[in-house]
Amino acid sequence: MNLEWMAWTLPTAIFFTTIVCILIAMTIWQVISPCIKRRGFIPLSTTRGDRLFIGLLSSAYIHLAWLGLTPFSIWIAFGFSLAWMVVVMRWG
Amino acid sequence: MNKWEDNKAWFLVLPVFIIVAFSAIIPLMTVVNYSIQDIFGPGERVFVGVEWFREVLSDSRLHEALLKQFLFSGLVLLIEIPLGIIIALMMPKKGWSASLSLVLIALPLLIPWNVIGTIWIVFTRPDIGLLGATINGMGIPFDHTSSPMQAWITLMLMEVWHWTPLVALLAYAGLRAIPEAYFQAAKIDGASSWAVFKYIQLPKMRGVLTIALLLRFMDSFLIYAEPFVLTGGGPGNSTTFLSIYLVKIAVGQFDLGPAAAFSLIYFLIILLLSWLFYQVLQNVGKGEA
Amino acid sequence: MKIKKRNFALVFYFILLMLPIYWMLNMSLRTNADILSTFSLYPKEITFANYMKIFTDPSWYSGYINSIIYVSINTVISLVTALPAAYAFSRYRFIGDSQMFFWLLTNRMAPAAVFLLPFFQLYSTFGLIDTHIAVALAHCLFNVPLAVWILEGFMSGIPKEIDETAYIDGYSFPGFFAMVFMPLIRSGVGVTAFFCFMFSWVELLLARTLTTTEAKPIAATMTRTVSATGLDWGLLAAAGILTIVPGALVIWFVRNHMAKGFAMGRV
């Protein structure tokens, strides 16, 4: 099976591997200690999985806003996103 | 409803997951791969990082297309959802007239999308089309190929004609699913028909209306074939919606990288808005029930 | 009096709804020269030449057969896989259920233009290009999620006590599902079957990309006339009228399920 047409690059491979690893880790975490819905600063009662989704989606938008509005390196946006993910997962 | 807690339910979901993931995940990954490279042909590609995203985000024609898209989808939802509910409420409940209405109302939905555009080209032509000739006959010069305003009106008419039946059908199915006992109780209480609608029918239709709203939002945001055939995005750029512009880049100029970046941004916009709609509708229902 | 006014409004709406379709029917019964030269509310000289052409030319009627084959396969796959999944979503809580439910819907959100290329590559890799099953599978991408969503809505309307009672009565899961549950949600199944049929029937981009000749859908056959020199409106209109027929038959068969709903009071 020839998959050359998928045009893989190292960064995207790392990106998707990370996503898969996060999903596996979240599943294991859920099995070990099931989580209860709770309400943080996000105006919804959310589970851990909901917060992960919110965090990832808003991180995508942080990156887009950074690219659209500033000429600086994308890595700074990446740093912000990491911090934001932690905030959402912990207090969201 | 309190649900049973059981992870074995995954086995019931597995077939769906496999069949959808087969078509969904690999193409999505490939488009992500495209979006950070400049692709000249098979095996000839250069890594460019986030360059395409920067280029697409600063494209003023894209901003314009996005604004038009929001206006279009907003109007579609504002017109079609209430109209669809009203029609569903008016439709007969039983007998041959119910069957007839169901069949008739579904007809526009069954025509392939490119054919819809073609029908409306003829239908609105001032010389040989019924609608065009009628409007011209009333003394209003009608030509949607030269006036942006008329192009928009024609597109909206076509869109409402084509898709309101979908909302009506879903709402009708939702209405029929309400047990008769509710209406009998309301009758005994002497409730007005508005009260019946507000406290019984509308809350009970929440599920189907959520689907109707999300479907109409997503499909109208992705609309391509009908306006492409009817107006070709013109006159000028007045009806160049996101999908039409995207195809211009992807097929017209064969810029695979920028088109892929564009697609991903497009996808993220729909994803965010659909998620917001979904959350709002879920919570509105909880408050009322 | 009130009822009369309501009926009048409904009839008025249906007349408006039918006008473009009537116009297509009108055109399909006229010759192309006649359509282009005169404005006429009804065909003065009825001709069936357009329909005859479609029924005798294999490149036309095979398009209908192809479409019907892959649409039927798709509807069956969608219903068979979506029924248990929708049941799971409406009755059980499991890891990642809400994420999974929403993820399904995200598959309707991708703009087709760029995704067509990897789609073509993927199906080529599996040697499925130009087969009916390829189009049926590809259409599952948007029909299976829709089927799950619609069915889940109907199933959630059925109290869980019914399941519990049936299990106490000694039904196994498959027995309960087929004997007790399916009759209760039959209106939902009817609606879902119709929507799967419809969305697969009218979809053009994927179907056209994944086929060349053997499984070419009718909608793609029709675009060929559009690009030919000078449009043959009459032929196109006749083909358009014929695209409505199979779907109208489907809705005729499921109409009772939609109209009757389910009488929950009996259970």
Side-chain angles (χ1 to χ4, degrees), chain B residues 2-4 6-7 10 16 19-20 23-24 99 107 109-110 113-114 118-119 122 128 161 166 176 263, chain C residues 17 23-24 35 81 89 91-93 95 107 114 123 160 195 198 201-202 223 233 236 244 255 259:
Chain B
N2 266 327
K3 293 180 183 176
W4 294 309
D6 192 348
N7 282 324
W10 255 106
V16 160
I19 211 159
V20 175
S23 298
S99 304
L107 292 185
L109 295 171
L110 296 163
W113 296 346
N114 53 329
T118 323
I119 299 173
V122 185
I128 56 168
W161 170 80
L166 178 100
R176 293 287 76 77
S263 300
Chain C
L17 195 69
W23 206 246
M24 187 159 72
I35 294 168
T81 55
F89 283 120
R91 294 296 193 258
Y92 293 98
R93 211 190 301 278
I95 291 178
N107 292 303
V114 179
Y123 282 85
K160 213 174 57 174
F195 277 109
M198 178 207 64
W201 183 256
V202 297
T223 54
W233 292 108
L236 199 67
I244 302 179
R255 75 187 190 282

Side-chain angles (χ1 to χ4, degrees), chain B residues 164-260:
Chain B
T164 308
L166 178 100
V167 182
L169 276 180
L170 278 169
Y172 184 77
L175 281 174
R176 293 287 76 77
I178 303 173
E180 200 56 35
Y182 281 85
F183 297 109
Q184 281 156 4
K187 213 173 190 177
I188 293 164
D189 293 345
S192 67
S193 53
W194 171 248
V196 170
F197 175 69
K198 195 176 165 199
Y199 295 109
I200 300 175
Q201 292 171 320
L202 199 58
K204 286 277 171 192
M205 279 196 291
R206 181 173 60 90
V208 283
L209 284 182
T210 306
I211 298 170
L213 191 109
L214 284 173
L215 272 183
R216 281 320 302 133
F217 167 69
M218 291 186 292
D219 291 351
S220 69
F221 216 82
L222 289 166
I223 191 166
Y224 173 71
E226 299 101 311
F228 179 76
V229 175
L230 183 64
T231 65
N237 275 326
S238 58
T239 54
T240 303
F241 299 120
L242 280 179
S243 272
I244 295 180
Y245 187 45
L246 174 64
V247 172
K248 271 184 191 164
I249 298 178
V251 181
Q253 305 163 11
F254 205 71
D255 284 340
L256 213 47

Side-chain angles (χ1 to χ4, degrees), chain C residues 12-267:
Chain C
F12 183 68
Y13 171 75
F14 276 119
I15 290 173
L16 289 184
L17 195 69
M18 286 306 116
L19 278 181
I21 294 174
Y22 169 72
W23 206 246
M24 187 159 72
L25 183 67
N26 177 9
M27 288 201 305
S28 73
L29 296 170
R30 300 162 66 188
T31 61
N32 202 36
D34 184 29
I35 294 168
L36 288 171
S37 59
T38 45
F39 174 83
S40 165
L41 283 177
Y42 57 91
K44 292 203 174 67
E45 286 168 47
I46 290 182
T47 166
F48 290 101
N50 298 319
Y51 288 98
M52 287 314 291
K53 170 136 174 80
I54 291 170
F55 283 124
T56 49
D57 184 346
S59 69
W60 273 103
Y61 67 71
S62 66
Y64 285 99
I65 298 169
N66 290 333
S67 289
I68 289 173
I69 293 173
Y70 73 69
V71 169
S72 312
I73 300 175
N74 172 267
T75 308
V76 171
I77 297 177
S78 301
L79 279 178
V80 168
T81 55
L83 274 167
Y87 182 79
F89 283 120
S90 80
R91 294 296 193 258
Y92 293 98
R93 211 190 301 278
F94 47 95
I95 291 178
D97 52 355
S98 59
Q99 283 78 21
M100 177 77 193
F101 194 56
F102 191 74
W103 170 77
L104 280 176
L105 203 67
T106 62
N107 292 303
R108 290 187 75 94
M109 301 175 190
V114 179
F115 284 83
L116 290 176
L117 185 60
F119 249 103
F120 181 80
Q121 303 272 24
L122 175 68
Y123 282 85
S124 304
T125 309
F126 285 92
L128 289 169
I129 290 298
D130 209 18
T131 59
H132 299 106
I133 191 78
V135 187
L137 268 181
H139 284 180
C140 282
L141 182 65
F142 50 82
N143 269 350
V144 169
L146 180 72
V148 172
W149 270 62
I150 296 181
L151 286 172
E152 197 271 345
F154 279 93
M155 290 179 184
S156 297
I158 307 219
K160 213 174 57 174
E161 287 70 34
I162 290 175
D163 308 29
E164 284 161 354
T165 323
Y167 291 137
I168 292 167
D169 287 351
Y171 279 102
S172 65
F173 174 69
F176 155 74
F177 206 88
M179 309 291 288
V180 181
F181 203 64
M182 285 292 283
L184 284 174
I185 52 153
R186 64 171 191 275
S187 70
V189 176
V191 177
T192 312
F194 170 72
F195 277 109
C196 288
F197 181 94
M198 178 207 64
F199 276 111
S200 180
W201 183 256
V202 297
E203 204 280 338
L204 172 67
L205 289 176
L206 279 175
R208 193 173 57 187
T209 309
L210 296 176
T211 57
T212 46
T213 48
E214 289 301 309
K216 195 177 169 126
I218 181 62
T221 314
M222 289 167 81
T223 54
R224 201 190 46 190
T225 28
V226 174
S227 56
T229 47
L231 232 58
D232 190 342
W233 292 108
L235 190 59
L236 199 67
I241 288 291
L242 290 177
T243 57
I244 302 179
V245 175
L249 287 177
V250 169
I251 193 136
W252 184 258
F253 284 122
V254 302
R255 75 187 190 282
N256 283 329
H257 297 300
M258 288 172 97
K260 271 188 211 144
F262 45 93
M264 228 175 336
R266 274 186 317 202
V267 184

